[in-house]
Amino acid sequence: MATILSTANLMATYWATLGNTYSLHTGSPGAAGTANEASGGGYSRQSTTWGTAAGGVVTGSQLVFPVLNGNSTHACRWNGTTLRDIIDITDVVLSPAGEIKFTPSSAVPYV
């Protein structure tokens, strides 16, 4: 069954309401999303501001994580203390310390 554009936009908008805070991880975050969370170097969880869905896509504001040297392999999306998504990101290696930036988005296919 095909999803029409207006329905895709509603679905993307709903998805955005499920959480807007992200954590960064240096290894698998585990089932609870709490293992291997980055630390030090000014790291803290970051929140995005979701835009208006268009074309079945909702995009948030860019997230900027200050981090120490090392690898980052995963991000998690949260709604308060409730884990919503575990995201396997392209491995990032920083040396020396710096910032990891990404812009979250979700797309709902439609015909």
Side-chain angles (χ1 to χ4, degrees):
M1 176 179 214
T3 301
I4 60 172
L5 179 57
S6 60
T7 301
N9 286 337
L10 286 172
M11 292 171 68
T13 298
Y14 175 73
W15 181 89
T17 68
L18 297 177
N20 70 335
T21 302
Y22 286 79
S23 58
L24 195 63
H25 299 262
T26 59
S28 172
T34 56
N36 299 308
E37 187 165 355
S39 63
Y43 168 82
S44 64
R45 291 183 178 187
Q46 302 294 311
S47 295
T48 193
T49 301
W50 295 106
T52 301
V57 177
V58 63
T59 302
S61 56
Q62 184 180 62
L63 302 169
V64 179
F65 294 94
V67 293
L68 293 175
N69 298 353
N71 297 344
S72 293
T73 62
H74 294 77
C76 290
R77 184 166 71 124
W78 300 86
N79 184 345
T81 59
T82 302
L83 176 65
R84 292 298 186 189
D85 294 306
I86 296 175
I87 306 153
D88 187 4
I89 60 174
T90 301
D91 291 2
V92 176
V93 179
L94 285 181
S95 182
E99 295 177 333
I100 294 177
K101 300 177 182 182
F102 70 89
T103 303
S105 67
S106 181
V108 177
Y110 68 94
V111 177

